[in-house]
Amino acid sequence: MSAAEQPADGARRTFLRQCLAGAAGAAVCGVGLTALRGGAKSSSFRWQIDPAVCTQCGRCATECVLAISAVKCVHNFAMCGYCNLCFGYFESQAPRLDSGGENQLCPTGAIRRRFVEEPYFEYTIDEELCTGCGRCVKNCTAFGNGSLHLQVRHDLCLNCEECAIARGCPVSAFRRVPAANPYLPKGREDGRT
Amino acid sequence: MRPPFTFRRAAAAALLKAPLALARERFPKPDLSNDYATPVSAWPGAVPVWVDWLDMGLLAGALAAAAWLALRRRSRTGLLMLSLACLAYFGFWRGGCLCPVGSFQAVTEGLFCGVALPLPTVVFFVLPLLAALLFGRVFCAAVCPLGVLQDLVAVRPQRLAPTLSAALQVIPVVLLALGVLLAATQTAYLACRFDPLVPLLRLTGTAGGVTMGAAMLLLGVFLARPLCRFLCPYGVLLRGLSRLSWRHVTITPDTCVQCHLCASSCPFEAIAAPSPERPAEPVRTGIRRLGWLVLAVPALVAGFALLFTFLAPALARLHGDVRLSEQLRREAVNGAPATVESIAFRASSRTPEELHDAAQKRRLALRRGGLWAGAFVGLVLACRLIGASVHRQRRDYEPDRGRCLSCGRCFRYCPKEQLRLRQRAEP
């Protein structure tokens, strides 16, 4: 290559590079804009369980990336029957209907039973203890009013891009909901908290 | 639009709702005395929209600060401070999600499947790429929490043989193609599922995940940033764009005096030495090389396309439907014991035929997509081969724009930089 050719060659290379760079920038912006065509949401999403689909298989307690799952049992008191014999609280063969450990269904004793008035009892969940195994939910749904249900707690959830529980859920009960309103509580059809 | 009201519809709706209504009335809520206050459920963790804007703003700010620190201020200390801040916020505080490295999969899904994407996902994908196009890989230098974590432990970096290094750099291309393929078919988010460092950022995870993370960090002590250089799929995009960057970090603030003091300062082997005079080679050698390249390009493209097609059934197994379909077949043929999935499936309204169809469709889609993904890998490798066989005249020590992470380690090795610093200190 002679000395006279060199500047022209350099200029050509620069021009080509600038063209390529412009095309690449346009491509990046184009990809971003096209990806948004499915519906741009100014708010991000959170994972949540649809209680209408959930079968309480127990995966929520084991699949979550957290050591103790971000899924907890929550109680819709408006649906609760305040039963003395609560199917979510007692083992099926419970010797006595009291708070003895051998009578309780919950493996961690996370449900608190409190006397309200004869013959009604109130059941509240201690979320510190709840592991999200869903055993109480399963029984309450099968034999009771279904007031107990599982929900992802968003003060604990890390909001993984690919939720490990959603991946392991056998019935695809997990879906993404707007972050500003991230719960699908039972008994409210519009999903508002 | 509301469907028009008809008696048949109303009757159907009433029938559908009847079991639900019955279920609710199984044990009607009692009339409790007035002193009883119903407990109120807490619904914590709703995220206001401004948090998303804060994230996007912080990312943009961090990228701008990294570019200023690397290109203008030329401060390794500044970059280190910024990277610690980014590690704290994007890494430990946000738990590693959302990160640009994984966002390419969500963007792919939005692109191919029309899935509604949140704005932050797209912004997190686009901003570092645009920054790379303008200023080089400043995102890798100080903003990416995964990269920064490795950067901090790289204290005894060893050099790799150039051929080994080049061979290992094929892996990110393969992972990018696989990640796009799997996200476009909505099979899996490969990068998120097998990210070894994210359990360390979250300070929790499975035993396997944490062990992998620890092993990766240990490896990072002797091999600088192994994840960034030999695994990161997003890095392939950054690398490509950084090569075309408008401005880029320079080793020397002035003109290179070719003292080669900087040559061994880069733990990523991203500094290219001046090339010797072009050796005169006989025409035959050139023709033979061209012949080999002409043969290699289609061979690579076809080879990888075929390889990916063969991999399709194995890749499909990353999706639950395909695993479940195989499980149902095993149960039907070999009498394998039922799993949680198969029990839940039998209780659902889907039929096995539907499932087998869906699984077969997914395998086909992966096979078809695999052709394109494999061809892409082959093409990138072919381009790299061509790039390697082209002789580039280089007079000075320069950062390789593709591989340079703009970390700024080389600055202080340059005598001209020392001179500049001294002049700045003495007004």
Side-chain angles (χ1 to χ4, degrees), chain B residues 180-200:
Chain B
V180 167
L181 174 64
L182 292 173
T185 52
Q186 293 184 308
T187 304
Y189 277 12
L190 193 72
C192 300
R193 203 180 291 190
F194 299 110
D195 187 333
L197 288 182
V198 91
L200 301 184

Side-chain angles (χ1 to χ4, degrees), chain A residues 43 51 55 99 151:
Chain A
S43 150
T55 56
S99 56
Q151 289 282 281

Side-chain angles (χ1 to χ4, degrees), chain A residues 104-126:
Chain A
Q104 289 189 37
L105 180 67
C106 180
T108 57
I111 308 179
R112 300 250 181 279
R113 183 176 196 248
R114 190 173 74 86
F115 175 73
V116 183
E117 63 182 55
E118 200 60 45
Y120 300 122
F121 287 82
E122 176 198 277
Y123 298 90
T124 45
I125 312 294
D126 184 349

Side-chain angles (χ1 to χ4, degrees), chain B residues 64-78:
Chain B
W68 181 73
L69 285 168
L71 274 68
R72 186 52 90 69
R73 178 89 191 153
R74 297 176 59 81
S75 163
R76 167 76 189 148
T77 324

Side-chain angles (χ1 to χ4, degrees), chain B residues 134-328:
Chain B
L134 290 173
F135 307 114
R137 298 173 70 169
V138 286
F139 169 72
C140 305
V143 186
C144 176
L146 305 171
V148 168
L149 197 60
Q150 299 169 77
D151 207 71
L152 294 177
V153 298
V155 285
R156 287 276 177 279
Q158 305 296 310
R159 303 212 134 222
L160 283 183
T163 42
L164 178 62
S165 179
L168 287 175
Q169 279 165 28
V170 174
I171 304 172
V173 185
V174 174
L175 289 182
L176 175 68
L178 283 180
V180 167
L181 174 64
L182 292 173
T185 52
Q186 293 184 308
T187 304
Y189 277 12
L190 193 72
C192 300
R193 203 180 291 190
F194 299 110
D195 187 333
L197 288 182
V198 91
L200 301 184
L201 295 178
R202 290 172 178 160
L203 305 174
T204 176
T206 58
V210 174
T211 316
M212 271 293 288
M216 191 55 84
L217 273 195
L218 197 65
L219 179 67
V221 173
F222 305 104
L223 187 63
R225 291 210 192 198
L227 194 81
C228 306
R229 290 155 75 201
F230 306 126
L231 288 172
C232 181
Y234 190 63
V236 177
L237 303 177
L238 290 169
R239 177 177 170 158
L241 291 175
S242 174
R243 290 183 56 144
L244 304 168
S245 62
W246 173 58
R247 293 276 185 275
H248 195 275
V249 150
T250 54
I251 301 169
T252 172
D254 205 332
T255 47
C256 180
V257 290
Q258 303 188 4
C259 63
H260 76 75
L261 286 174
C262 63
S264 61
S265 69
C266 182
F268 314 114
E269 296 145 49
I271 295 179
S275 49
E277 275 300 302
R278 185 177 192 168
E281 61 176 19
V283 182
R284 285 184 61 115
T285 323
I287 289 173
R288 195 178 300 152
R289 189 194 295 125
L290 188 67
W292 276 116
L293 283 178
V294 166
L295 282 179
V297 175
L300 275 172
V301 170
F304 273 97
L306 276 180
L307 179 69
F308 273 50
T309 314
F310 285 129
L311 280 177
L315 292 175
R317 240 166 260 146
L318 287 168
H319 194 271
D321 272 2
V322 178
R323 282 199 304 269
L324 182 55
S325 152
E326 289 178 357
Q327 168 70 19
L328 288 185

Side-chain angles (χ1 to χ4, degrees), chain A residues 77 80-83 114-122, chain B residues 28-39:
Chain A
F77 293 97
C80 182
Y82 292 81
C83 311
R114 190 173 74 86
F115 175 73
V116 183
E117 63 182 55
E118 200 60 45
Y120 300 122
F121 287 82
E122 176 198 277
Chain B
K29 184 174 157 66
D31 287 327
L32 298 168
S33 67
N34 286 338
D35 336 332
Y36 174 71
T38 310

